[in-house]
Amino acid sequence: GVQFRNMATVGGSIWGRFGFSDVLTVFQALDTYVELYKGGVIPLEQFAKMKKDRDILVRLIVRKTPCKVVYSAMRIQRTDFPVIACAVSRMNGQYRASIGARPGRAMVLRGEQAEGFADFAAAHAPTEGNLRGSAAYRTHLIRVLVERSMTKLGGM
């Protein structure tokens, strides 16, 4: 909702590693690292997979790697949490799809070829059902959103 959105921060959203986080989904598609007080600098993708601990998030580092990124999400209504979230980037000749709200934490899939990448993403991103949508519906949305994103990136 609007009240919560006005209090949310990028650091808090990354630190929470919430499954519904749009912010985590987008930043995983980029060349992003986190600096932890005790853990040092690690890739965001690795951080997102870690169990929660008591370390402190010092900063978010986004490297200036040239890339193109497209973010899209399917929501029941505009201000709601996403049913599925998708960020696709093309960086260094490789495609990267970050899939969030599966309803698990956002995960990253990589591929070299544009052809079939949407089918690959749908086949390799595990989904679950909840009150927002079934696992089959989310899998279908992954394929559709990745395909649309690839078209916007100029990869198909």
Side-chain angles (χ1 to χ4, degrees):
V2 175
Q3 295 84 1
F4 179 73
R5 184 177 60 225
N6 289 338
M7 293 174 30
T9 64
V10 171
S13 189
I14 295 291
W15 176 252
R17 296 168 257 190
F18 302 115
F20 56 83
S21 174
D22 296 309
V23 176
L24 181 61
T25 303
V26 170
F27 279 103
Q28 278 196 0
L30 301 171
D31 192 9
T32 308
Y33 294 78
V34 294
E35 182 181 344
L36 302 172
Y37 182 71
K38 293 181 182 174
V41 177
I42 60 172
L44 178 60
E45 184 178 353
Q46 179 184 341
F47 174 73
K49 292 176 185 176
M50 291 170 48
K51 291 182 180 180
K52 293 185 180 182
D53 59 10
R54 305 281 294 166
D55 206 347
I56 299 168
L57 178 64
V58 176
R59 77 184 80 202
L60 185 67
I61 304 163
V62 182
R63 294 197 173 154
K64 295 179 183 178
T65 306
C67 67
K68 290 186 176 184
V69 181
V70 175
Y71 174 78
S72 54
M74 179 62 70
R75 300 172 192 278
I76 295 172
Q77 63 183 40
R78 188 171 53 89
T79 59
D80 203 0
F81 291 125
V83 174
I84 199 79
C86 173
V88 179
S89 64
R90 184 174 58 210
M91 188 176 352
N92 299 326
Q94 185 179 57
Y95 293 96
R96 184 187 295 193
S98 176
I99 311 296
R102 310 171 293 111
R105 292 178 185 169
M107 64 175 295
V108 177
L109 300 164
R110 290 178 173 76
E112 301 289 330
Q113 300 293 323
E115 289 298 318
F117 188 60
D119 292 326
F120 171 80
H124 290 86
T127 58
E128 296 176 16
N130 64 11
L131 62 100
R132 297 190 194 294
S134 68
Y137 178 58
R138 282 189 164 102
T139 300
H140 174 72
L141 287 176
I142 290 169
R143 190 188 63 70
V144 170
L145 293 179
V146 170
E147 189 172 301
R148 288 179 185 172
S149 298
M150 297 290 289
T151 301
K152 287 181 182 177
L153 285 175
M156 296 182 74

